[in-house]
Amino acid sequence: MTEFVALEVADGVATLRIDRPPVNALNTAVQDELRAAAAECERRDDIRAVILWGGEKVFVAGADVKEMHTMSAQDMQRRAGAVSDSLDAIARLPKPVIAAVTGYALGGGCELALTADFRVSADDAKWGQPEVLLGVIPGMGGTQRLARLIGPARAKDLIFTGRFVDAQEAHQLGLVDVVVPADEVYRTAQAMAAKFARGPALALRAAKTAIDVGLQTDLASGLRLESQLFAAVFATEDKQRGMASFIESGPGKAEFTGN
């Protein structure tokens, strides 16, 4: 049992629901529970896709400033690795992850959303990395994931100014993938996740690894990794199913088992 992060699974889709009113601030307990939940999502074969969800009113409005205010530099030096690791555990999940964002995704909330493969945003949501306004910098991956996602100059604009952006600008920047009315956010994320959950799990794992690891290396190394993973999925049952279905019935009709 956990206090602030609930894990619910239905039809191959896990929802990691953060519930720490009023704004789901990421304190130490939430961070640790997110890490544990990510480990369970990775371990369970019945989980094929994951949704990050903060509820209908707010995703995550940031880290717990009151908790951090009492911490010294020495305290944070001891804790900083675990802070980053808690979100990195989600980013490393070998399964599709979708962030369903309502209300605010600020500071640590934006960093949490950045760990996902896709971000669905309410049309009235606010996004940003306002840590500089507190005299600090993003410490849960924001300087690294945001720059890789939207480019260094755009990331520096958001991080240096600490300004909030609305969903429309976030979409234009490439920070957000889909913008829908607030009451459609979770349903949209569910539909996306359900499609992935029906897909070939091992091929999706390989594709995510090839892209994420490939981005961290040079092109030649990335191409070698892609070739290795491409060959490996030829040993899967879903490769046989997918190709046989294509030959018999055309594209998009295969029923995959995840094996």
Side-chain angles (χ1 to χ4, degrees):
M1 296 294 293
T2 58
E3 186 176 2
F4 301 118
V5 179
L7 173 61
E8 300 175 355
V9 183
D11 299 322
V13 177
T15 298
L16 295 187
R17 167 66 191 275
I18 302 164
D19 187 14
R20 186 176 179 243
V23 294
N24 295 337
L26 299 180
N27 68 351
T28 297
V30 176
Q31 294 162 21
D32 292 344
E33 289 179 19
L34 282 170
R35 186 189 303 106
E40 183 171 352
C41 286
E42 181 168 3
R43 183 170 58 249
R44 289 176 55 172
D45 291 337
D46 63 322
I47 294 175
R48 305 274 290 273
V50 178
I51 298 173
L52 303 176
W53 172 238
E56 297 176 353
K57 294 183 178 180
V58 62
F59 183 64
V60 172
D64 191 326
V65 178
K66 290 182 179 179
E67 181 182 68
M68 290 192 299
H69 181 59
T70 65
M71 299 178 72
S72 67
Q74 292 74 23
D75 292 334
M76 187 50 77
Q77 285 172 354
R78 288 189 291 269
R79 177 67 191 171
V83 170
S84 179
D85 224 29
S86 63
L87 270 61
D88 202 41
I90 297 172
R92 293 194 307 265
L93 277 173
K95 303 172 183 184
V97 180
I98 302 164
V101 175
T102 55
Y104 295 97
L106 302 174
C110 186
E111 291 172 296
L112 176 59
L114 287 169
T115 67
D117 300 299
F118 306 98
R119 282 154 292 280
V120 178
S121 176
D123 56 9
D124 59 355
K126 301 295 183 183
W127 294 74
Q129 297 286 172
E131 288 88 348
V132 70
L133 304 180
L134 302 175
V136 296
I137 68 171
M140 298 183 184
T143 64
Q144 303 305 302
R145 292 193 179 94
L146 186 61
R148 284 167 169 76
L149 182 65
I150 68 174
R154 289 176 170 179
K156 288 174 181 176
D157 170 42
L158 295 186
I159 292 171
F160 288 8
T161 65
R163 68 186 183 91
F164 296 179
V165 297
D166 60 24
Q168 289 69 33
E169 183 176 359
H171 186 261
Q172 292 169 358
L173 290 171
L175 174 54
V176 164
D177 300 292
V178 181
V179 178
V180 295
D183 61 358
E184 295 180 16
V185 167
Y186 185 67
R187 184 164 63 250
T188 300
Q190 279 185 310
M192 293 172 65
K195 183 175 182 179
F196 296 134
R198 293 191 298 270
L202 297 177
L204 289 171
R205 176 193 292 253
K208 183 168 180 175
T209 299
I211 294 168
D212 289 354
V213 176
L215 284 172
Q216 300 171 24
T217 188
D218 60 274
L219 178 59
S221 298
L223 290 171
R224 285 194 295 272
L225 174 63
E226 180 187 78
S227 293
Q228 293 166 2
L229 293 168
F230 176 62
V233 295
F234 270 64
T236 65
E237 178 184 330
D238 280 342
K239 174 264 180 185
Q240 296 300 115
R241 284 175 166 267
M243 291 194 176
S245 176
F246 177 86
I247 292 169
E248 295 171 4
S249 306
K253 298 180 176 64
E255 294 185 5
F256 297 110
T257 66
N259 300 310

